[in-house]
Amino acid sequence: MPGEKLRLRVLTPGHRACQGCGQALGVRLALERVEVPFIVANATGCLEVFSTAYPYSSWAVPWIHSLFENTAAVASGISAALRALGRGEVRVIALGGDGGTADIGLQALSGMFERGDDVLYICYDNEAYMNTGVQRSGLTPPYARTTTSPAGRVRLGNVRPKKDMLSIAVAHGVGYAATASIGYPKDLERKVQKAMGRRGPRYLHIHAPCPLGWGFEPEKTVEIAQLAVQTGLFPLVEIEDGVVTGVRKLPKRLPVEEYLKHQSRFAHLFTSEEGRKAIAEIQAIADANVARYGL
Amino acid sequence: MWTVLEGSVAIAEAVRRCRPRVISAYPITPQTHIVEHLARLAADGELDAEVVNVESEHSAASVVLGAVATGVRAYTATSSQGLLLMAEVLYNIAGLRLPVVLTCANRAVSSPINIWNDHQDAMAVRDSGWIQLFAEDNQEAVDLHIQAYRIAELTRLPVMVNVDGFVLTHAYEPVDLPDQEEVDAFLPPFEPKVRLDPDHPLTLGMLAEPHVYMEARYALNEAVLGSKEVILQVQREFQERFGRSSGGLISVDAPEDAEIVFVAMGSVLGTIREAAESLRHRGIRAGVLKVTCFRPFPGEAIASALRGTPRFIVLEKALSMGSGGILANEMRAAFYERDRRAEIISVIAGLGGRDVTVAQIEEVAQAVLQGERGPVFLGLDQRLLAREGTS
Ligand SMILES: Cc1ncc(C[n+]2csc(CCOP(=O)(O)OP(=O)(O)O)c2C)c(N)n1
Ligand SMILES: [Mg+2]
C-alpha cells in the first residue's frame, strides 16, 4: 500500500499455493510485521509443501520442517537452544494446520504450553486436512462435507462441533490466546504484535478459508472469512491471562445461511428438510457464540 | 579417575563431560537413571544445560532435533517402546543430517510387555541412517559416548550408543572416568556449518520430489558408509589420548587357526569370552569376534577377519520375525558378496532378559561341531511350548 513502511519479506512470491489460498495470505499478514528476528518451525501440511519444493524455498527467514505432529516440540528445542546460546533476542514461531495442531499435534502442543516454553504457536485453520485431499479434522465444522465425512443419503457430512482450541490453550494457563481471521488483517496484525510483546507460550488461531476444500471461487477468500466472523460462527476473541480482554462485536449480525450458501461443502444442506434442520442447528451454534462472548 | 559407579551414572558422567547444552528425555526403564543423574547435575549447577521434560519420547527426539538444528550439542536417552515411538523422528534426524547423540538402554519390545534386556529395540530402527554402536561393558559405554559426539559432529550423522539395559545400566563396575580437560581436548566445541540463524536464513526439511529424493537418500547412505573411516579415526585418536582401545568397528580375540568363532554385540560378550576360554582349555580352538559398530555394517572387516575359520556362531538378542537372526543374515550377505564360504549358524538368545550362561554357550559350540546348523533358540522351555502351543 502506498505510504506504508516497506515490509520485511517472510514468504516471498513464486510459491505453489492455490489461487486464493487463505493460509498463504495468513502467513504474510501474521509474520511480515514482526520486526524482531525469529525462527519458524513449520508442521507438515499445505504451507510446508507449497513453499519449499527443493531447490526453491519461499522463506526469507530461518525455517525448519520436521514432521506433522512434532512442531511444538521442535519449537521447544529451538527455544531451549536459543536460551543456551544466550540469544534471547531471537524468537520462535511455530506454524501448524488445524489437523497438525488440534489432532495429531495436540499432545506436543500441550507439552509446550505446560512447560511454559517461549514460543508463539500459530494454527492455520482451514477446517480440514487439505494437503491430503480435504479429509475431516477435529476442526471441521458441523455438517461440512469432506472426503471422509461425505454427505450421503443418510448422513449430512461431519457430525461433531469444532474442537475448542482457544479454551484448550487457556486451560493450560497460556498467557496470550486469541483467534483471528484473514478477513480482518488489521486485527490479525495487531494480535501478532501483542503476542510478540509477551514471552512464554502463546497461541493464535487464524481462520483461513480454502477455496478448493470449501468449494468457493478463489476471489472470495477474504469475503468468506469475513462472513464466518459476521455470522458469529468464528468469533474473534482475545484472552490474556485467562481473562477475555477483546471481542469483535457484531452489531449487524448476519444469518448463518449468508456464510454457508457460498460454499459447496454445505450445498447439501439447502436441498432437503434435514438440511434445513441442520442449518437451524448451525444457527444455534452461532447464537451460543454470541451469548458466550457477548459478540 | 577410577571409581565404582552404576552404569547409568557412569554414562551420565561421560555425557556431562561432553557438555550438552540441551537435554530432553522421557522416563522409561531401564534408561531412567541416566537422565535423572543429568537432571540432578543441572539442578545443582554442575551442568550448564537446559533440561526439557517432555510429554513423550516423540517430543524428546523432536526437542533435541530442534536444538541441534539451532546449533547446540544435545542429548537424549530412551529404551524399547520409547525408541519405537521415536522411530519417525529418528529417520527425520538422520535425513536432516543432525549430529544428535542418543543412548539406547536396550530393552525388549512389547507385546508381551517386558522391561528386561535384548536388542530388538535398536534393531527396529537399524535402517534409519543412525550410526549404531554397542558397548560391551561400562568402561566402553563411557568411552563410546565421548567418541559418539566426536563421530557425530565429524560426520553430521546421529549416533546411537547401545548399552544393555540392567545388565550394564544398573551394574556397578569400576570405570575410569576421563577428566573434563581431557574430554575438552578430545572433543572441541560444536561448530555446525548449518544452523537456524536469523543472520543467515536457511530452509531445512524441504519437500523433495521424485526427481531429487533418491539422490538425497543415496547421499545419506554414502555418508553412513563413509562414517566407517571416521569411526576408526576417532578410535585411534581416543587410544592416543586416553591410552585404551575402545570403539571402532569390530575386534577379534581368537587363535589364528580358530575352528569356531562366536560373533556377538554388547554385554553378552563377557559370557561368551568365558565360554571360549573354557572351550580352549578343552582343546577346542574357539574365538570371539565382537561387533562394536552395527551401523554402518562392517561387512568388509568381518568377512576379511579370521579367513581360516570355517564356522561362526552368531549369537544375537533380536530377531526379524519371519526371517531370522539379523546379524547372522547380514554376515551371510557380507560373506556371499565377497565369495567367502563359511558356516554361519544363527543363535537367538537372551530375549526379554532370559539368562545366557557359559554352559549353554559351550553346549551350542559342541552341538555345532557335531553338525548343528541352526537356527538355535537358546534355552527354549519346550514344556511351556508344548503346553501353550505355538500357533
Ligand atoms: C504421522 C503422519 N500422518 C499423516 C501424515 C499425512 N499428512 C500430511 S499433511 C496432512 C494434512 C495436513 O492437514 P492440516 O494440518 O490441517 O494442514 P493443511 O494441509 O490443511 O494446511 C496429513 C494427514 C503425515 N505426514 N504424518
Ligand atoms: Mg487444514
Side-chain angles (χ1 to χ4, degrees):
Chain A
M1 264 172 258
E4 273 204 35
K5 185 161 101 188
L6 188 67
R7 290 185 169 196
L8 168 74
R9 281 277 171 94
V10 175
L11 185 73
T12 57
H15 57 67
R16 303 170 170 185
C18 304
Q19 273 192 349
C21 174
Q23 215 176 52
L25 179 59
V27 178
R28 298 190 48 203
L29 293 172
L31 303 186
E32 289 192 345
R33 288 289 182 109
V34 178
E35 276 157 21
V36 291
F38 61 93
I39 294 170
V40 173
N42 198 150
T44 309
C46 283
L47 174 59
E48 159 264 325
V49 169
F50 74 63
S51 63
T52 69
Y54 178 90
Y56 306 109
S57 170
S58 287
W59 293 90
V61 292
W63 181 97
I64 185 169
H65 159 248
S66 168
L67 295 165
F68 190 21
E69 69 279 47
N70 68 346
T71 313
V74 171
S76 293
I78 296 169
S79 167
L82 291 170
R83 258 195 324 275
L85 291 168
R87 295 204 66 184
E89 81 287 3
V90 180
R91 312 292 292 273
V92 188
I93 298 176
L95 307 176
D98 47 293
T101 302
D103 293 344
I104 198 166
L106 186 60
Q107 173 177 320
L109 181 60
S110 172
M112 186 206 100
F113 283 162
E114 170 274 320
R115 287 188 301 272
D117 290 336
D118 187 26
V119 177
L120 169 59
Y121 189 102
I122 300 178
C123 169
Y124 291 98
D125 184 6
N126 55 20
E127 304 192 326
Y129 294 103
M130 293 312 179
N131 188 48
T132 39
V134 201
Q135 292 87 17
R136 176 203 179 271
S137 82
L139 287 174
T140 299
Y143 299 110
R145 176 174 86 192
T146 72
T147 54
T148 50
S149 62
R153 278 189 296 278
V154 296
R155 290 196 187 151
L156 289 175
N158 183 43
V159 290
R160 299 289 305 160
K162 278 171 83 76
K163 196 184 280 192
D164 185 356
M165 279 304 298
L166 197 64
S167 296
I168 289 172
V170 171
H172 282 80
V174 163
Y176 184 83
T179 55
S181 164
I182 59 116
Y184 294 87
K186 291 280 172 219
D187 177 72
L188 193 163
E189 288 179 344
R190 185 184 60 76
K191 284 171 175 162
V192 173
Q193 293 302 327
K194 204 157 180 184
M196 292 304 287
R198 302 182 61 133
R199 305 302 290 241
R202 289 140 291 149
Y203 181 73
L204 186 61
H205 191 109
I206 300 180
H207 203 227
C210 168
L212 198 70
W214 298 9
F216 61 82
E217 294 303 314
E219 69 272 17
K220 288 215 177 105
T221 304
V222 172
E223 187 189 329
I224 297 281
Q226 290 170 342
L227 287 169
V229 173
Q230 288 164 3
T231 52
L233 283 173
F234 194 88
L236 296 184
V237 182
E238 222 174 353
I239 300 176
E240 292 175 72
D241 303 314
V243 180
V244 179
T245 53
V247 168
R248 186 173 189 95
K249 299 277 183 187
L250 302 175
K252 286 178 288 186
R253 182 152 68 101
L254 299 173
V256 294
E257 280 97 328
E258 292 304 311
Y259 172 62
L260 304 177
K261 72 182 183 193
H262 298 285
Q263 307 172 50
S264 67
R265 63 175 173 158
F266 295 114
H268 57 287
L269 302 183
F270 293 89
T271 56
S272 69
E273 194 43 43
E274 286 74 29
R276 286 278 149 204
K277 280 188 211 148
I279 292 174
E281 278 180 46
I282 297 171
Q283 185 60 57
I285 292 171
D287 296 347
N289 285 339
V290 171
R292 178 176 181 188
Y293 290 113
L295 303 178
Chain B
M1 194 182 63
W2 282 93
T3 29
V4 175
L5 291 176
E6 189 200 34
S8 298
V9 173
I11 291 164
E13 287 292 332
V15 168
R16 164 203 200 170
R17 286 160 172 74
C18 297
R19 302 185 185 276
R21 305 301 308 282
V22 173
I23 295 168
S24 186
Y26 189 81
I28 187 166
T29 305
Q31 156 269 159
T32 332
H33 289 182
I34 305 171
V35 288
E36 285 173 356
H37 187 77
L38 289 167
R40 252 191 323 270
L41 292 173
D44 287 336
E46 290 176 27
L47 172 66
D48 182 17
E50 302 289 330
V51 176
V52 185
N53 288 316
V54 282
E55 82 302 329
S56 71
E57 288 87 354
H58 198 281
S59 284
S62 303
V63 164
V64 292
L65 181 158
V68 176
T70 311
V72 308
R73 197 172 278 160
Y75 175 73
T76 188
T78 191
S79 297
S80 179
Q81 310 308 126
L83 193 76
L84 264 57
L85 186 59
M86 280 185 182
E88 187 196 23
V89 191
L90 298 181
Y91 271 76
N92 200 247
I93 287 170
L96 285 164
R97 302 291 305 272
L98 297 172
V100 172
V101 170
L102 175 153
T103 308
C104 181
N106 301 104
R107 163 182 154 182
V109 163
S110 181
S111 170
I113 190 166
N114 171 299
I115 61 167
W116 293 275
N117 166 247
D118 68 33
H119 290 168
Q120 195 67 50
D121 50 7
M123 289 298 115
V125 293
R126 65 186 184 270
D127 300 331
S128 58
W130 281 63
I131 292 172
Q132 291 183 307
L133 309 175
F134 284 80
E136 179 177 345
D137 52 29
N138 285 343
Q139 184 65 61
E140 193 169 40
V142 164
D143 298 350
L144 288 182
H145 279 87
I146 298 166
Q147 294 187 19
Y149 278 100
R150 184 96 178 102
I151 296 166
E153 289 166 17
L154 284 170
T155 57
R156 294 204 293 129
L157 288 169
V159 179
M160 180 183 304
V161 182
N162 291 279
V163 183
D164 284 322
F166 291 114
V167 183
L168 295 180
T169 56
H170 289 55
Y172 283 75
E173 282 183 1
V175 290
D176 182 6
L177 270 181
D179 293 339
Q180 183 66 63
E181 304 77 61
E182 287 180 301
V183 177
D184 287 343
F186 177 77
L187 180 68
F190 180 37
E191 271 164 19
K193 287 194 195 73
V194 174
R195 68 161 73 170
L196 294 166
D197 179 358
D199 298 334
H200 307 280
L202 280 175
T203 295
L204 301 181
M206 303 178 79
L207 170 72
E209 292 170 303
H211 68 290
V212 293
Y213 180 83
M214 225 171 130
E215 284 70 15
R217 302 304 286 175
Y218 175 83
L220 177 59
N221 183 49
E222 285 294 300
V224 180
L225 289 173
S227 70
K228 284 182 206 172
E229 282 311 313
V230 178
I231 291 165
L232 290 170
Q233 172 203 325
V234 169
Q235 180 188 29
R236 282 191 299 273
E237 285 173 14
F238 189 90
Q239 175 146 27
E240 275 161 32
R241 183 165 296 281
F242 299 97
R244 60 175 171 266
S245 174
S246 47
L249 301 175
I250 64 166
S251 66
V252 177
D253 177 12
E256 264 304 291
D257 58 347
E259 59 191 302
I260 192 161
V261 166
F262 295 99
V263 182
M265 306 193 289
S267 62
V268 77
L269 280 155
T271 315
I272 290 177
R273 288 187 200 285
E274 239 181 86
E277 199 182 319
S278 155
L279 287 166
R280 283 198 294 272
H281 281 306
R282 302 206 330 253
I284 296 167
R285 298 188 306 281
V288 179
L289 190 158
K290 158 176 166 174
V291 178
T292 306
C293 173
F294 180 71
R295 280 289 181 276
F297 189 68
E300 178 64 34
I302 295 175
S304 53
L306 297 163
R307 294 220 64 111
T309 298
R311 57 189 80 76
F312 294 84
I313 297 177
V314 184
L315 188 145
E316 58 190 306
K317 293 183 177 180
L319 170 63
S320 172
M321 291 297 161
S323 174
I326 299 160
L327 180 58
N329 281 341
E330 298 222 358
M331 205 169 137
R332 287 176 182 133
F335 273 46
Y336 187 86
E337 279 168 11
R338 292 165 182 83
D339 275 337
R340 175 161 180 201
R341 292 212 57 92
E343 301 216 3
I344 294 175
I345 295 104
S346 173
V347 177
I348 308 299
L351 300 188
R354 177 71 56 93
D355 274 344
V356 180
T357 65
V358 174
Q360 280 177 320
I361 294 171
E362 288 184 50
E363 266 170 48
V364 168
Q366 299 284 10
V368 166
L369 288 170
Q370 279 153 32
E372 169 69 57
R373 292 294 164 264
V376 175
F377 284 75
L378 202 67
L380 274 188
D381 181 345
Q382 295 299 345
R383 277 179 37 222
L384 176 58
L385 286 171
R387 195 172 75 228
E388 298 286 346
T390 52
S391 54

